[in-house]
Amino acid sequence: MKGAILIMGFIDTLKERAKANVKTIVLPETEDKRTLAATEKILKEGIAKVILVGNEEAVKKSAAEDGYDISGAQIVDPATSEKTQGYIDKLVELRQKKGMTPDQAKEILLNQYLYYGVMMVKMGDADGMVSGACHSTADTLRPCLQILKTKPGTKLVSAFFVMVVPDCDMGADGTFIFADSGLEQNPDPEKLAAIALSSAESFKTLTGKEPVVAMLSHSTKGSAKHADVDKVVEATRIAKENAPEGLMLDGEFQLDAAIVPEIGQSKAPGSPVAGKANVLVFPDLDAGNIGYKLVQRLAKAEAYGPLTQGIAAPVNDLSRGCSAKDIEGVVAITA
């Protein structure tokens, strides 16, 4: 029961925050029934206003077939919307150095709803977008990087999972961020440091609690010698140099030294982070992706993500194995 309370507590808190300051989120994957099921729940709970991109008749028919009430959603058809021409003109302006023509922009926006959704965010007609139920991470992020670009002061876009582990007294009452678990394949020390700092900011934004950041390795404070360890040591140095004042960040740590108090005290005595970490920065995508899936499947943890950080506006990716409930949760996080 305790685990259920922790899981519900995290998402319920985000939902309440979203309800207190309602944002407009665009969902472009209207061909997927999970999007329509999630839309009904989002509207019923008042988590966000929803814009669905697609042919209005087709979207309404699809929803009606399964009894989903999406009557509160705004449905925007790129083929008939009065704003489409403005989006075409803006896309040409943004991509003209890459040779984008008006005809190409029109073809993209009328047929690739992810691009249309991103243009809605770019032009201020939506506050954020959630996609990925039936598109790859690359397909979801490509228009974001081309149109929205990176957030000022951020060196790269990365991805993380919020992990909520039942019956767990480690981390922030069982809540962790795992990064990068979805995007950066093999970050160099500069990128790894940037991921750590972005993840710390994301943790504070989402949980309201202070981040405690551990740079993970197969070594703790020099216990092993290898080029892979050197990378994490250097990333830790760079991150500390660029960290905001007061941020708790340290490394390199083995996983147990990062989150288990007695092991942290034994392996890294004197470290303010050892045994207390709630933000886990993995050395590469293999480790991060395997790590989150292990915790999700073996510890029955809730995994929310991959969530993106470093984009100039809130756009989040979904796992293609997501449920309607997952979409609802990621919309709450995005809002």
Side-chain angles (χ1 to χ4, degrees), residues 51-187:
I51 297 175
L52 299 172
V53 182
N55 175 272
E56 184 169 359
E57 184 180 347
V59 172
K60 286 183 174 178
K61 180 181 178 184
S62 181
E65 285 172 356
D66 289 284
Y68 299 131
D69 179 7
I70 60 166
S71 56
Q74 179 186 357
I75 302 174
V76 174
D77 185 347
T80 59
S81 173
E82 60 185 20
K83 294 195 174 183
T84 297
Q85 187 58 51
Y87 295 168
I88 292 169
D89 296 341
K90 186 65 175 180
L91 184 56
V92 171
E93 177 191 325
L94 291 169
R95 302 290 292 166
Q96 59 187 355
K97 289 182 180 178
K98 298 292 184 180
M100 179 73 71
T101 67
D103 284 345
Q104 288 173 333
K106 183 177 181 180
E107 174 75 14
I108 289 169
L109 290 174
L110 291 186
N111 295 287
Q112 298 185 43
Y113 291 168
L114 269 66
Y115 272 87
Y116 200 91
V118 172
M119 284 305 304
M120 297 190 86
V121 176
K122 179 69 175 179
M123 301 294 277
D125 295 320
D127 297 303
M129 184 180 87
V130 172
S131 180
C134 49
H135 289 86
S136 69
T137 294
D139 286 340
T140 296
L141 294 185
R142 189 178 302 111
C144 301
L145 296 175
Q146 290 176 355
I147 295 166
L148 299 174
K149 313 291 186 183
T150 55
K151 181 180 174 183
T154 302
K155 294 183 179 178
L156 83 163
V157 174
S158 56
F160 65 92
F161 277 79
V162 176
M163 306 297 296
V164 186
V165 185
D167 301 313
C168 178
D169 55 5
M170 292 176 279
D173 295 323
T175 299
F176 298 85
I177 272 181
F178 285 21
D180 184 320
S181 303
L183 190 59
E184 273 292 325
Q185 185 69 50
N186 191 15

